[in-house]
Amino acid sequence: MRIRKFNLIAILLILAAPILSAQTENLADRIASLPAVKDVQKLESTRFPEKYLVIFEQPIDHQDPSKGTFTQRAIVGLVHPDSATVVVTEGYGGQYAMIPSYRDEISSIFNTNNILVEHRYFLESNPYPGAAPEDVNWDYMTAPNAAADLHCIVTAFKELLKGKWISTGISKGGQNTMIYRTYYPDDVDFSVPYVGPLCRALYDGRHEPFVENYVGTPEDREAVKDFQIELLLRKDRLMPAFDSVCVAEGFTFNAPEDEIYDYCVLEFSFAFWQWGYPTEEIPGKDASDKEVFDYLMLICSPEYFVDWSPTSPFFVQAAKELGYYGYDMKPFRKYSKYFSIRNTKNYLEKLMLPQGVDFEFDDYLYTKISSFLLTTDARMLLIYGQYDPWSAVMPSDPLKDNIKFYIQPDGSHRARISTFPEETQKEIISILSQWLYE
């Protein structure tokens, strides 16, 4: 019955699309008049009757507006002002949402409006555009400020969009969904974080044993480890190709390339299980050097360890409050002579953070979110993949009716509603339908 209700409402909203189109000019004007909106630009869309790029002016520090402002992007797909609205709490840049075919999974299922908010300090939402990383003031790259950004944008759009509100995000964006709900529990009606981690320390310590002892079958784990060993044994032969890739791509690092190669070998198992590759595709010991090297580049390119990239502000936030994972060299003790590095201590600071800038980790966020989930009556449905290494640091299930956990069997960081078995998909959609339409 709930599914039928959803279908009826979806049909009515689709029929209402021409009405929205007829009011386009007025609608754009209304968006432009919302609080803190600086600019509105119409975008092409194959998924929405109307789509806009909306630029908001935000305080750099929500606790002290005298510190100045920056502009933040929101990409807005509209079905109808009376429809429900999904706000995507992106954890990185939002450029991908500019393409005409973009639409969030929840928005697609329930035919809702869709607002994606680019995270502060990323791409076009950087308070210090053009500044070198070591010259940026990172004091305001915080979870409370990011949550306040979302609160301001959602509050503004509530003047125009009158249906229910849903927050969602993937990976760091899923983590941001939890952060936003923790700080502003009444902003939305329910939340659907996907594969969002919750680390308790800078180097949390739970990822490494998860990868070593839990993911896949023992045979799968052995196949991955054997390939990493093969990469070490062939290091001298593969380094020329590795160096060539780095030169051709213009990669620069905070460590010698032979050390970066070592980190790629260690990262391989994490990346392999995070993205859910099949073990039967791993090249065997009789594979050519080219086959082995190409597979390494497929799973773990050295690009991950460049000294700075558009996604690097994440590492700053990880060092300050989100936490991260470490690498365990003990399984490769017999092959230590092939490593250029002796240990991986403080590798995040050494390789991926602005050089000459000190960051101190504070676990307040882990404590705050964990406490919120245990005590809140907010409705949340959390999705994870069984073998995703980030699932090692998922929040504890509080076993409450208002919070649902769904873990995709054998799943990875790609776990979505659509990747679950059909019966589970129906169950998830039924729960979300009840929350949306009651």
Side-chain angles (χ1 to χ4, degrees):
M1 183 61 69
R2 295 190 188 109
I3 299 301
R4 290 176 182 170
K5 183 176 182 181
F6 155 63
N7 288 336
L8 176 60
I9 292 175
I11 291 169
L12 291 173
L13 289 173
I14 292 169
L15 293 174
I19 299 174
L20 181 62
S21 296
Q23 298 175 342
T24 297
E25 185 174 347
N26 176 260
L27 184 60
D29 289 343
R30 291 178 69 188
I31 294 174
S33 70
L34 295 177
V37 170
K38 301 295 290 183
D39 190 28
V40 180
Q41 301 173 26
K42 195 172 189 304
L43 300 174
E44 294 184 7
S45 177
T46 59
R47 306 296 303 278
F48 295 97
E50 300 295 333
K51 183 176 179 178
Y52 299 94
L53 169 64
V54 184
I55 307 298
F56 282 83
E57 184 174 37
Q58 295 274 25
I60 293 177
D61 181 2
H62 284 273
Q63 298 300 312
D64 185 358
S66 70
K67 298 289 179 61
T69 62
F70 73 103
T71 55
Q72 185 171 30
R73 290 198 293 186
I75 295 90
V76 182
L78 295 177
V79 174
H80 193 277
D82 294 332
S83 173
T85 299
V86 167
V87 56
V88 179
T89 61
E90 178 57 57
Y92 296 92
Q95 185 63 32
Y96 65 95
M98 299 285 284
I99 65 174
S101 61
Y102 167 74
R103 194 172 198 178
D104 172 75
E105 182 178 56
I106 304 292
S107 178
S108 296
I109 292 171
F110 295 107
N111 194 36
T112 71
N113 304 315
N114 194 164
I115 300 174
L116 181 141
V117 180
E118 184 168 76
H119 199 288
R120 59 169 46 212
Y121 282 79
F122 288 90
L123 298 185
E124 301 300 316
S125 301
N126 185 358
Y128 305 96
E134 60 271 18
D135 296 328
V136 169
N137 186 338
W138 296 102
D139 291 349
Y140 312 114
M141 177 59 144
T142 65
N145 271 325
D149 292 340
L150 290 161
H151 175 67
C152 288
I153 291 173
V154 168
T155 300
F157 268 108
K158 281 186 175 181
E159 295 189 12
L160 175 63
L161 306 177
K162 300 302 184 179
K164 285 191 174 183
W165 283 77
I166 307 154
S167 58
T168 189
I170 298 169
S171 190
K172 183 176 181 290
Q175 188 177 41
N176 206 22
T177 301
M178 292 187 280
I179 291 168
Y180 175 43
R181 197 68 192 275
T182 299
Y183 279 93
Y184 298 95
D186 298 325
D187 268 17
V188 300
D189 294 280
F190 60 91
S191 303
V192 186
Y194 294 80
V195 296
L198 185 59
C199 296
R200 59 191 180 193
L202 175 53
Y203 299 102
D204 184 281
R206 288 175 287 174
H207 305 85
E208 299 92 312
F210 185 91
V211 171
E212 179 69 15
N213 302 310
Y214 176 75
V215 294
T217 65
E219 293 76 18
D220 291 335
R221 297 193 294 272
E222 193 67 21
V224 171
K225 184 179 176 181
D226 285 346
F227 185 77
Q228 291 174 283
I229 292 170
E230 197 66 25
L231 290 170
L232 292 172
L233 295 176
R234 300 192 194 199
K235 180 177 180 179
D236 287 346
R237 305 200 320 249
L238 298 182
M239 275 305 301
F242 190 86
D243 292 338
S244 294
V245 166
C246 294
V247 171
E249 298 294 335
F251 297 155
T252 57
F253 310 101
N254 289 324
E257 287 179 7
D258 59 335
E259 294 187 7
I260 300 300
Y261 182 96
D262 293 349
Y263 282 106
C264 286
V265 173
L266 295 172
E267 171 68 16
F268 177 87
S269 56
F270 191 101
F272 181 91
W273 291 110
Q274 178 176 355
W275 299 114
Y277 290 96
T279 53
E280 57 267 24
E281 294 181 2
I282 298 175
K285 294 181 180 180
D286 58 347
S288 67
D289 285 352
K290 184 179 186 308
E291 289 174 310
V292 170
F293 181 77
D294 288 348
Y295 196 72
L296 171 63
M297 293 300 99
L298 172 68
I299 306 299
C300 184
S301 163
E303 183 178 10
Y304 185 68
F305 296 102
V306 295
D307 52 8
W308 198 253
S309 76
T311 60
S312 291
F314 159 66
F315 296 119
V316 172
Q317 201 174 6
K320 291 175 53 150
E321 59 189 5
L322 299 184
Y324 209 51
Y325 57 88
Y327 296 118
D328 187 1
M329 296 181 69
K330 291 193 294 295
F332 306 101
R333 189 179 292 115
K334 288 174 54 177
Y335 305 92
S336 60
K337 69 178 182 179
Y338 297 98
F339 281 102
S340 297
I341 58 174
R342 300 276 69 87
N343 59 66
T344 61
K345 183 179 180 181
N346 298 327
Y347 82 92
L348 192 67
E349 297 93 320
K350 177 182 177 182
L351 300 182
M352 294 140 114
L353 294 178
Q355 299 300 286
V357 184
D358 294 326
F359 300 100
E360 184 175 348
F361 183 80
D362 189 331
D363 67 358
Y364 79 98
L365 206 55
Y366 172 82
T367 302
K368 187 175 183 68
I369 295 174
S370 298
S371 176
F372 172 76
L373 293 175
L374 287 172
T375 58
T376 185
D377 59 0
R379 288 172 165 175
M380 302 179 71
L381 190 148
L382 295 86
I383 290 173
Y384 291 92
Q386 181 183 6
Y387 294 152
D388 178 10
W390 289 111
S391 294
V393 292
M394 71 172 70
S396 298
D397 187 344
L399 301 177
K400 299 166 61 179
D401 288 342
N402 58 296
I403 297 180
K404 310 292 186 182
F405 274 74
Y406 281 87
I407 301 173
Q408 182 193 338
D410 302 340
S412 69
H413 211 56
R414 305 179 198 270
R416 306 291 184 267
I417 295 172
S418 62
T419 63
F420 279 84
E422 185 176 354
E423 285 304 310
T424 309
Q425 291 185 47
K426 291 178 180 178
E427 184 177 323
I428 293 171
I429 291 172
S430 176
I431 292 169
L432 299 182
S433 296
Q434 179 180 352
W435 292 351
L436 183 58
Y437 298 127
E438 69 177 16

